[in-house]
Amino acid sequence: MLDPSLYRDAMSRYAGHVQIVTTAHAGEKRGVTITAACSVSDNPAMVLACVNASNPKNAIFSRSGNFALNTLSGSQIELANAFSGRDPALTSEQRFAMGNWQELVTGAPVLKDALAAFDCRLVELKVMATHMVLIGEVMGVSFGEPGEALLYMDRGYRTL
């Protein structure tokens, strides 16, 4: 088996678009900064996002039946850091207070000024090793102002 630290070192050289995946259920909101997300299909429109399965707070993604994939711009590093968990003292309410949020179709929090946001109905959740793979049918989209994309590479933020 490959050493996980060697794998992480190699993956750090893989540029990933920074996103915040969000959900809401029974009055509770959850948001997580991720780079593991992509398009699955355009007909029907579907995306996938991966979140850490070992974090008990992420169980809300399976209960809610929805999620939003919010694509961040280069001007949203502070928001990316807030939802990354780097500051565990920040509550969910404090994190969400840092952004301007709306609901589209499913009830998942959608960042109004995301480069693009995909509001999804959860159609499948599969646990693969350490992560949950969320597959969602896109029920609505929204667009913020065009801008540089926020990327994460070599363990730091970049823009493109």
Side-chain angles (χ1 to χ4, degrees):
M1 189 166 107
L2 186 66
D3 178 357
S5 65
L6 182 62
Y7 174 78
R8 284 191 301 275
D9 285 345
M11 287 304 296
S12 75
R13 296 181 182 187
Y14 184 89
H17 199 149
V18 180
Q19 322 239 357
I20 298 175
V21 62
T22 58
T23 194
H25 179 69
E28 180 185 355
K29 292 181 188 175
R30 176 81 176 143
V32 182
T33 299
I34 65 168
T35 56
C38 67
S39 172
V40 173
S41 169
D42 67 351
N43 188 17
M46 298 183 91
V47 297
L48 71 76
C50 300
V51 297
N52 192 325
S54 66
N55 186 330
K57 292 180 181 178
N58 287 339
I60 188 174
F61 287 100
S62 64
R63 293 191 307 268
S64 68
N66 65 55
F67 68 92
L69 193 57
N70 300 279
T71 307
L72 300 186
S73 72
S75 66
Q76 295 172 311
I77 291 173
E78 186 178 343
L79 201 56
N81 281 332
F83 281 88
S84 73
R86 289 181 180 173
D87 183 354
L90 280 177
T91 66
S92 181
E93 293 78 22
Q94 290 170 320
R95 291 176 178 141
F96 277 98
M98 296 173 72
N100 191 2
W101 302 89
Q102 63 183 339
E103 289 182 14
L104 297 180
V105 178
T106 70
V110 172
L111 186 61
K112 284 186 178 182
D113 58 350
L115 288 178
F118 305 87
D119 185 24
C120 303
R121 176 180 65 86
L122 182 66
V123 295
E124 189 171 346
L125 185 150
K126 186 164 184 78
V127 176
M128 297 293 297
T130 60
H131 280 67
M132 290 186 290
V133 180
L134 312 172
I135 300 174
E137 181 180 4
V138 180
M139 308 303 291
V141 296
S142 68
F143 300 92
E145 293 297 318
E148 290 190 328
L150 183 61
L151 303 177
Y152 193 77
M153 184 176 170
D154 290 330
R155 295 184 172 90
Y157 293 115
R158 311 281 189 263
T159 59
L160 177 66

